[in-house]
Amino acid sequence: MITAQEVLNNHQKKEFLEFPARLYRNDKSYIRPHDKDIEHIFDVHKNKFFEHGECKRYLFIDRNGKTVGKVAVFVNHKYLQKQPTGGIGFFDCINDQETADFIFDHCKKWLQERGMEAMDGSINFGERDKFWGVLIEGFSEPLYGMNYNFPYYKDLFENYGFQIYYNQLCFSRKAHAPTSRIFNIMHAKHSKNESFSAKPVTKSNINKFAEDFYIIYNKSWESHGGGKQMSLNDVKKLFNSMKPVMNEHIAWFAYENGNPIAMWINIPDLNQWFKYLNGKFGFFDKLKFLYYKATKTNTKFVGLIFGVLPEWQNKGVEGYLIVEAANHFRVATEFIDFEMQWIGDFNPKMLGLAKHLETEITRKLATYRFLFDRSKEFERHPML
């Protein structure tokens, strides 16, 4: 006998955060996400997605009063899909298929009542850069903001009837490894052009680089759909929030006659410091963070986003920018490993970039989809 409890009071909110910590207490690879990062998603005053969506959280309690699962279920009307599709996220569950089925059935009913015809999971009531996907390969320490789960989650989803809508591939390479021959050729071509330049992001001029990001991001992602556009104000907030942890040697832009045409935004892997804070980030935790940041060498940096203006794609700009940046941070930093945030298997251009970077796949997540009408033909995510 399992009951579903909507998360409404402070005790339930705390349990929503503490249940995964208990579930993974013996898993050495688990790093507890920041409580504030999760609570922000469910705060109607802080998460802009409540302006065009609805979200509820639930705990699932067994007959002995113990939590055996949790989930968030939501409708985001800017999540543009072929059929009305809702989402489930922040799914955690004991290793029991009946319990998982109860949770999935509960979400299905909630979404059907709101006119949805399918559900995707495990995804986020927010942007795809955080808490997106079910880990199915590569169960090592997660990057900051990346989902982590037990291997049995794959079976819980697939046994219920979820199918992989798309795979999320994470690629890694040694930070100081030589750049590939093809990138060197691209660099040699464009470095002769005096109108070309490349610059690292500097904290003293952070708003200028935020404006450059805004231009490249919105022009490059406007064809992707799904509400991917960002306002300049949101971009400036993002860049200023990254400022305390930004490394000025590893985030770069390329320019043609002073106009931004490409970007490669990287930051240190924050989880190498955050793993010591147990999900907390109050005043004293911030002091601890500064201590660990000063005393613990961070050996990995993370590729957050790579973008090239549409009119400059397939012209070798990516190779020019990557070689310029790599030649610099090989000398200026002590990073050992580089890992890219996930790339969807529907994005051949970015997969090609990862190939030319001479990376290897080190982890794989999956975005699953469940069609409520089981007679309908399942379709994978369209290729970009």
Side-chain angles (χ1 to χ4, degrees):
M1 182 67 181
I2 300 173
T3 58
Q5 294 184 0
E6 184 179 349
V7 175
L8 297 171
N9 59 44
N10 288 335
H11 172 75
Q12 292 167 323
K13 290 177 181 178
K14 182 178 180 181
E15 179 64 6
F16 194 85
L17 299 170
E18 296 295 336
F19 171 64
R22 296 197 304 272
L23 191 66
Y24 294 96
R25 63 183 177 272
N26 296 321
D27 188 329
K28 293 181 180 179
S29 294
Y30 175 74
I31 297 176
R32 179 171 173 168
H34 271 185
D35 293 351
K36 287 186 177 180
D37 286 347
I38 295 176
E39 286 302 301
H40 178 279
I41 291 163
F42 304 108
D43 189 328
V44 295
H45 303 294
K46 295 180 179 179
N47 187 351
K48 65 180 181 181
F49 285 83
F50 279 102
E51 297 174 6
H52 41 75
E54 179 184 0
C55 177
K56 299 291 183 182
R57 283 187 286 176
Y58 293 91
L59 297 170
F60 297 86
I61 312 300
D62 69 8
R63 67 181 65 197
N64 298 314
K66 292 184 178 181
T67 303
V68 291
K70 70 174 183 65
V71 78
V73 56
F74 41 87
V75 172
N76 173 11
H77 295 296
K78 283 197 173 183
Y79 187 56
L80 304 178
Q81 302 294 322
K82 189 173 182 178
Q83 70 280 304
T85 302
I88 65 171
F90 301 91
F91 169 87
D92 280 299
C93 183
I94 61 173
N95 190 5
D96 180 74
Q97 189 66 51
E98 288 187 8
T99 302
D101 290 351
F102 184 92
I103 296 172
F104 295 143
D105 282 342
H106 178 85
C107 294
K108 175 186 174 184
K109 181 176 183 292
W110 189 93
L111 290 168
Q112 284 179 315
E113 290 171 351
R114 287 154 179 82
M116 298 296 106
E117 298 176 8
M119 59 182 174
D120 287 356
S122 182
I123 64 173
N124 181 20
F125 187 54
E127 301 290 353
R128 293 185 183 185
D129 62 332
K130 286 189 175 68
F131 307 122
W132 201 283
V134 178
L135 183 64
I136 59 175
E137 291 180 17
F139 296 88
S140 56
E141 288 186 351
L143 305 178
Y144 172 66
M146 178 175 284
N147 275 346
Y148 179 87
N149 52 259
F150 289 119
Y152 67 75
Y153 278 39
K154 178 178 185 290
D155 294 332
L156 296 182
F157 275 84
E158 293 182 4
N159 289 342
Y160 183 77
F162 280 92
Q163 295 172 268
I164 293 177
Y165 185 46
Y166 56 85
N167 285 307
Q168 306 164 220
L169 308 175
C170 298
F171 297 83
S172 296
R173 76 190 301 268
K174 291 301 178 184
H176 289 196
T179 48
S180 68
R181 176 178 174 274
I182 190 168
F183 282 162
N184 289 330
I185 292 172
M186 295 175 185
H187 178 263
K189 172 187 174 183
H190 288 297
S191 59
K192 296 175 183 177
N193 188 340
E194 294 183 357
S195 66
F196 267 59
S197 62
K199 299 177 183 177
V201 173
T202 55
K203 296 180 182 180
S204 61
N205 206 14
I206 196 74
N207 285 329
K208 169 61 170 63
F209 288 105
E211 292 169 2
D212 295 342
F213 178 97
Y214 168 77
I215 292 170
I216 298 171
Y217 181 88
N218 282 342
K219 287 186 177 180
S220 300
W221 269 262
E222 64 184 356
S223 63
H224 289 202
K228 297 300 294 178
Q229 301 292 288
M230 294 181 71
S231 70
L232 180 57
N233 187 51
D234 285 343
V235 173
K236 287 184 176 181
K237 285 182 180 179
L238 173 64
F239 268 59
N240 280 281
S241 70
M242 291 167 52
K243 193 173 178 179
V245 297
M246 187 175 286
N247 183 306
E248 294 183 312
H249 300 292
I250 58 176
W252 284 68
F253 284 82
Y255 299 86
E256 193 260 344
N257 288 322
N259 298 310
I261 59 173
M263 61 184 178
W264 188 23
I265 308 299
N266 307 295
I267 63 169
D269 175 20
L270 302 183
N271 267 0
Q272 292 204 13
W273 298 314
F274 286 161
K275 64 183 178 182
Y276 301 107
L277 304 183
N278 193 33
K280 311 301 180 184
F281 209 54
F283 176 75
F284 291 107
D285 304 293
K286 290 177 181 178
L287 294 179
K288 287 171 64 177
F289 169 74
L290 293 174
Y291 168 78
Y292 288 119
K293 187 171 180 289
T295 60
K296 298 287 186 180
T297 301
N298 196 324
T299 61
K300 179 185 287 188
F301 72 101
V302 180
L304 295 184
I305 192 166
F306 191 97
V308 179
L309 287 181
E311 61 265 33
W312 282 99
Q313 292 174 9
N314 301 317
K315 294 183 179 180
V317 173
E318 61 273 22
Y320 168 77
L321 177 58
I322 287 170
V323 173
E324 285 286 313
N327 287 343
H328 175 83
F329 64 62
R330 279 199 202 100
V331 177
T333 73
E334 297 180 353
F335 293 110
I336 297 173
D337 296 302
F338 167 68
E339 182 168 351
M340 303 170 70
Q341 281 280 13
W342 65 267
I343 301 173
D345 63 4
F346 53 82
N347 191 342
K349 288 183 180 179
M350 286 304 299
L351 292 175
L353 177 69
K355 178 182 178 181
H356 291 316
L357 271 171
E358 298 181 346
T359 58
E360 60 178 354
I361 298 174
T362 47
R363 70 179 95 216
K364 182 189 294 186
L365 299 95
T367 294
Y368 283 104
R369 172 162 292 182
F370 182 87
L371 300 180
F372 298 157
D373 183 347
R374 305 307 292 162
S375 66
K376 274 192 172 182
E377 182 180 358
F378 182 85
E379 296 182 12
R380 293 280 300 254
H381 190 293
M383 300 295 287
L384 294 181

